[in-house]
Amino acid sequence: MATRKIAILAEGALGWHAAKTAVGVIRYAPDTTVAVIDSTHTGMDVAEALQGPVGEGIPVVRDITEALTYQPDTLLIGIAPRGGALPESWRWQLLAAIEHGLNIVSGLHAFVSDDEELRTAAARKGVTIWDVRRPPARTRVADFTPHREGSHTVLLVGSDCGSGKMSTALDLNAEAQRRGLSSAFIATGQTGMMIANNGLPVDRLIIDFAAGLVEEQVLNFSHAHDWVFVEGQGALNHPGYSPVTLSLLHGSMPDALIFCHKAGQTAIDGYEQCLFPSLNRLIEINEEAVNWLRPERRSKVVGISLITNHLDEPHAREAVEQMMNETGLPVTDPLRFGVAPLMDALERHFAG
């Protein structure tokens, strides 16, 4: 697939968490991000707006009119407003983009191509609207088919949403390829799909078929590759999103897991009354959920990916050391310290 020149719409929300789609696309997509639209950070570059190491040199602009001066061919919606609908205040920007021949990529729960005005405008200009979250028409119930012998399926799980599951899976896939291994990444959410141009919008699948469609993807990828890194979603301990996590655990039937966590977090974001048990217990419940189905071949968490970008470097290193002491597992912040310790742990696990 040809690479795109993308303008990302992140109006009013260009931050690590609120604009995680924008951040993910900038960090990992093979496409070129030429500008980010956010009138509250106009005049900065993305790295300045994020106060971090991502997006240096990419300008933040006021609106689509200014973004067009950088000659994008695609407008990508890089944030997810509460409720998943298209804010009316954004409509003119999408219409202007379409009028100038830009394709639209959207991960919203509300499908842009179902909007009559936008669909008609796109048809008139001959541009495409990709609603990434639109689920496939096919259905499939999981049938518990074993993976190809010799292949290694690794699922990313975590303590909460936004705990680094997608980015760690992408980093591990890149590290495996650097080591000369045959590996692939399976996207299970809209951002990963925008980056990889493959995968499933698991949070839009009918629950009876979610595990089966994930299983189908994993079987296809594990037939072609020795290592398969499956992007995780949600968390088993999340009061709202645990079903999608369980579907991924049972659909992918991983041979190993990597656990993801934000240093210092003690409760589900937005559910402050929903406190975490110990990290060891969180790890244990994810292992148990896989091994309900396959007790004779136990899957385990072999390493921890830790988000520390809210800490200075000495405190980040202290958090990594503390987590290693608490769990007895290799720990790293892939963004800050690299993902090699996790790949080392996976290779040791499968060699043993």
Side-chain angles (χ1 to χ4, degrees):
M1 181 174 179
T3 58
R4 299 168 286 211
K5 293 177 65 179
I6 295 175
I8 298 179
L9 180 58
E11 176 55 37
L14 183 53
W16 283 98
H17 183 69
K20 64 181 183 179
T21 292
V23 173
V25 168
I26 290 167
R27 284 184 68 188
Y28 295 108
D31 310 289
T32 300
T33 299
V34 298
V36 174
I37 299 167
D38 179 6
S39 62
T40 65
H41 289 96
T42 301
M44 298 182 180
D45 72 5
V46 170
E48 290 175 296
L50 294 175
Q51 298 182 334
V54 174
E56 185 174 352
I58 299 173
V60 183
V61 300
R62 182 174 302 279
D63 55 26
I64 185 62
T65 303
E66 189 175 349
L68 287 169
T69 65
Y70 295 92
Q71 300 183 312
D73 57 36
T74 302
L75 179 66
L76 183 147
I77 297 175
I79 57 177
R82 190 173 182 84
L86 176 69
E88 278 302 310
S89 60
W90 293 3
R91 179 176 293 273
W92 78 270
Q93 304 218 51
L94 270 68
L95 285 168
I98 291 169
E99 184 63 28
H100 284 83
L102 274 64
N103 297 315
I104 305 297
V105 176
S106 170
L108 298 176
H109 277 286
F111 299 143
V112 172
S113 58
D114 286 347
D115 183 289
E116 185 175 354
E117 182 181 25
L118 294 167
R119 181 178 65 250
T120 300
R124 185 176 65 250
K125 296 299 294 187
V127 302
T128 63
I129 297 173
W130 180 22
D131 283 305
V132 182
R133 268 193 164 115
R134 191 180 291 279
R138 68 187 184 281
T139 60
R140 184 181 188 277
V141 175
D143 57 17
F144 203 50
T145 301
H147 303 168
R148 177 178 64 84
E149 193 66 32
S151 66
H152 310 307
T153 297
V154 180
L155 175 66
L156 283 292
V157 294
S159 57
D160 197 356
C161 305
S163 57
K165 296 180 287 291
M166 181 197 74
S167 58
T168 305
L170 285 161
D171 287 338
L172 282 166
N173 182 50
E175 178 66 19
Q177 292 177 359
R178 276 194 291 271
R179 297 183 184 199
L181 302 173
S182 168
S183 75
F185 165 80
I186 296 181
T188 62
Q190 74 276 11
T191 307
M193 293 174 70
M194 291 174 186
I195 293 164
N197 290 301
N198 74 40
L200 293 163
V202 176
D203 63 0
R204 287 302 298 260
L205 302 179
I206 296 171
I207 197 65
D208 276 5
F209 308 126
L213 289 169
V214 169
E215 179 184 57
E216 178 182 63
Q217 291 267 305
V218 171
L219 289 170
N220 289 339
F221 275 75
S222 63
H223 179 75
H225 301 277
D226 294 335
W227 292 79
V228 178
F229 297 98
V230 184
E231 176 190 7
Q233 299 291 334
L236 270 186
N237 52 302
H238 196 294
Y241 302 134
S242 56
V244 70
T245 310
L246 189 59
S247 294
L248 282 163
L249 281 159
H250 288 172
S252 67
M253 287 309 299
D255 304 302
L257 305 114
I258 297 292
F259 191 86
C260 303
H261 180 63
K262 181 177 180 180
Q265 187 177 349
T266 58
I268 295 289
D269 185 37
Y271 297 78
E272 278 64 34
Q273 75 280 20
C274 188
L275 299 176
F276 294 157
S278 71
L279 263 292
N280 283 323
R281 179 56 184 150
L282 285 174
I283 288 167
E284 186 178 48
I285 66 172
N286 281 274
E287 293 173 340
E288 286 173 353
V290 181
N291 296 319
W292 294 335
L293 305 189
R294 200 173 58 189
E296 77 288 350
R297 183 181 170 185
R298 296 191 63 80
S299 297
K300 60 180 290 189
V301 170
V302 302
I304 297 176
S305 172
L306 192 66
I307 293 176
T308 68
N309 62 11
H310 54 299
L311 304 174
D312 61 24
E313 180 137 343
H315 285 99
R317 292 189 181 279
E318 182 181 323
V320 167
E321 188 71 24
Q322 179 182 344
M323 188 68 62
M324 289 174 65
N325 291 336
E326 181 179 345
T327 64
L329 294 169
V331 181
T332 188
D333 179 338
L335 178 62
R336 204 166 208 158
F337 307 124
V339 78
L342 300 181
M343 195 64 215
D344 291 343
L346 286 165
E347 290 198 288
R348 285 195 302 270
H349 173 72
F350 290 116

